[in-house]
Amino acid sequence: MARLTCIGKSDVGLKRSNNEDTFLVDPDLNFCLVADGIGGAAAGEFASRIFAETAAEVLAAARPSSETSTLAAVQTAFSTANDRLRLHIQQNPSHQGMGCTAELLACHPEGFVLGHLGDSRTYRLRNHQLKQLTEDHTLVQAQVTQGLLSPQEAMTHPMRNVILRAVDGQSELELDLLRGKLQAGDLFLLCSDGLTDMVDDGLILELAGGADPLARKVDRLIAAALAAGGKDNITVVLCEY
């Protein structure tokens, strides 16, 4: 069975009064996740927590052991969380507009399955190369994909944080599901945009690479985001296979 060593940490940042991010790591069940709440009025905090609790419940019940069963469990985690958010909004109308971005990485003997919605990200560090596995579900990224904006223009665009897809209880999810093989030494980084808006990929590679303990790498990444301004909640999870 694939085995993960996982470390996570979240920081409120320097500009926010509350932390709407949630993370969860479970090496025994070989999964980890990051969720970033949206919606304000404390509703984002509820949304990210609902997603994390639902994913943990689904994966603990399913205990997937193959690519097929892991894929099904990840899909179920997202759809069930979306249904629960819909019910929560019906029961709490003041939370209309709540939701969360979400990264859910689950490993199995044949490799990994990654579920992704929103502008939180998952990277893989392999053989000293950092690769972003996910594509942001934002208005600006869609314009980059269409050739309407350059990546450089996107970095400073005033609408770069307008999210097109999320776990929001509003509609059927358009979930990105990625699958891949694992290699010994693979290091996965799951993070909220509080990291990637402050720290570029080159510095992420520098801080996450090397042989230091995962906890030290996590601390360095969060410290870098704080040093750059800490404008949002910052959540970092590192998982090594």
Side-chain angles (χ1 to χ4, degrees):
M1 186 66 181
R3 299 301 300 175
L4 297 179
T5 301
C6 302
I7 297 290
K9 188 173 182 179
S10 190
D11 191 285
V12 70
L14 301 176
K15 305 294 184 181
R16 301 293 182 91
S17 60
N18 67 308
N19 194 340
E20 294 190 333
D21 289 358
T22 299
F23 77 90
L24 183 60
V25 299
D26 193 328
D28 292 332
L29 290 175
N30 287 301
F31 82 90
C32 57
L33 65 84
V34 166
D36 181 354
I38 54 178
E45 183 178 346
F46 278 110
S48 62
R49 191 183 308 149
I50 288 170
F51 177 80
E53 292 172 352
T54 301
E57 178 186 319
V58 169
L59 286 161
R63 294 190 171 270
S65 58
S66 66
E67 180 179 279
T68 300
S69 60
T70 304
L71 191 68
V74 170
Q75 289 176 307
T76 299
F78 275 86
S79 62
T80 303
N82 200 54
D83 291 342
R84 289 179 177 177
L85 259 67
R86 183 181 299 112
L87 178 60
H88 177 92
I89 292 167
Q90 290 171 353
Q91 296 173 342
N92 301 270
S94 64
H95 286 178
Q96 183 72 37
M98 73 184 293
C100 68
T101 69
E103 305 294 300
L104 173 56
L105 176 72
C107 295
H108 55 87
E110 302 163 43
F112 70 88
V113 173
L114 172 64
H116 161 71
L117 275 176
D119 64 350
S120 294
R121 292 181 181 175
T122 297
Y123 294 83
R124 182 183 63 207
L125 179 57
R126 173 185 285 176
N127 297 328
H128 311 292
Q129 299 290 321
L130 185 71
K131 180 180 182 181
Q132 183 180 332
L133 299 180
T134 55
E135 180 174 295
D136 296 348
H137 296 144
T138 60
L139 177 63
V140 166
Q141 180 57 50
Q143 292 180 333
V144 170
T145 302
Q146 296 168 26
L148 302 176
L149 285 176
S150 70
Q152 292 72 29
E153 290 171 327
M155 291 176 64
T156 57
H157 197 283
M159 299 183 72
R160 64 186 179 277
N161 295 122
V162 175
I163 298 170
L164 300 180
R165 288 196 247 167
V167 184
D168 57 11
Q170 298 303 307
S171 59
E172 186 174 341
L173 295 179
E174 295 181 64
L175 175 64
D176 283 358
L177 283 166
L178 296 85
R179 291 169 280 186
K181 301 298 183 183
L182 291 167
Q183 293 183 15
D186 279 351
L187 180 66
F188 293 90
L189 163 64
L190 284 66
C191 59
S192 62
D193 65 338
L195 176 71
T196 52
D197 280 353
M198 297 287 101
V199 183
D200 65 31
D201 287 4
L203 185 53
I204 288 175
L205 174 59
E206 178 183 337
L207 297 175
D212 285 340
L214 294 186
R216 188 172 301 170
K217 294 179 180 181
V218 168
D219 285 342
R220 286 202 303 247
L221 288 164
I222 289 179
L226 291 171
K231 295 180 180 179
D232 200 352
N233 308 144
I234 308 153
T235 299
V236 173
V237 168
L238 287 177
C239 284
E240 187 171 36
Y241 170 63

